[in-house]
Amino acid sequence: MARGLFITLEGIEGAGKSTVARGVCEWLGRQSIRATLTREPGGTALAERVRQIVLERGQERLSAVTETLLMFAARAIHLENLIRPALERGDWVVCDRFTDATRAYQGGGRGVDAAWIESLAGQVHGGLQPDCTLLLDLPVPIGLQRARSRQAGAVDRFEAEAQVFFERVRAAYLELARREPQRIHVIDASLPLEAVQQQVAAVLGRLSPLPDQGRAP
Ligand code: TMP
């Protein structure tokens, strides 16, 4: 059986990834394609524990290098236990963030060496790249305003960052999209949800011919 397609969603805080990811799964369901929805860092019980370590604002310092290693540790667990098995059984995997987030946040935002990130990516997922990445792009002030207006509970280590950090992250994402236009599709996420979903459906529609594998019975 051919493997399913691997779709990732990326963007800064407040871009609406989680809502769009659910919409992508519903869209796939309407095409009779089985989809597994997941997220990073996290996605499995163990990887969610790593997520907690990397996001919480605790007493101890966490360097940019440590943060990068933890992102890849969570990713390795997630790939082995969820992503690869799902793709191999023919499901499509819809993942809220993947290695582009490390490139944008740790590379662009924190200044971690890009070549080192690529070397870790090579070791952790080698030939497995997303087939399609939806980059939900919007101006940073709008994203942060949206994120802060719906914030419940404590602010995590990334949410506590200043606007200038997210400007670097956004710029890094747009540079990735410029370099890989076949894979990374920039979606204008400043528009109302319906318009965002229309852009996403247009991209997904172009992924056809949709494979027979992974179709729900
Ligand atoms: P979320 O907001 O999508 O739940 O992601 C949690 C945070 O983790 C978000 O601020 C981005 C950050 N992150 C990285 O910095 N690097 C990564 O590789 C991933 C997957 C997430």
Side-chain angles (χ1 to χ4, degrees), residues 157-197:
R157 290 181 52 254
F158 293 97
E159 289 161 347
E161 288 291 340
Q163 181 170 329
V164 62
F165 172 82
F166 294 103
E167 295 287 1
R168 289 198 298 272
V169 172
R170 183 187 186 206
Y173 268 135
L174 289 172
E175 174 59 19
L176 290 171
R178 199 189 59 74
R179 275 194 258 147
E180 282 193 73
Q182 301 292 343
R183 173 174 72 86
I184 305 180
H185 303 269
V186 182
I187 306 291
D188 183 351
S190 67
L191 298 175
L193 181 60
E194 204 175 310
V196 171
Q197 281 168 336

Side-chain angles (χ1 to χ4, degrees), residues 88-101:
E88 276 156 23
R89 67 173 179 263
D91 278 19
W92 287 34
V93 171
V94 177
C95 192
D96 186 341
R97 298 195 189 280
F98 193 63
T99 299
D100 292 319

Side-chain angles (χ1 to χ4, degrees), residues 12-15 138-149 163 189-190:
I12 60 163
E13 270 60 11
L138 80 177
V140 173
I142 301 178
L144 292 184
Q145 198 179 18
R146 281 189 193 171
R148 281 167 191 158
S149 70
Q163 181 170 329
S190 67

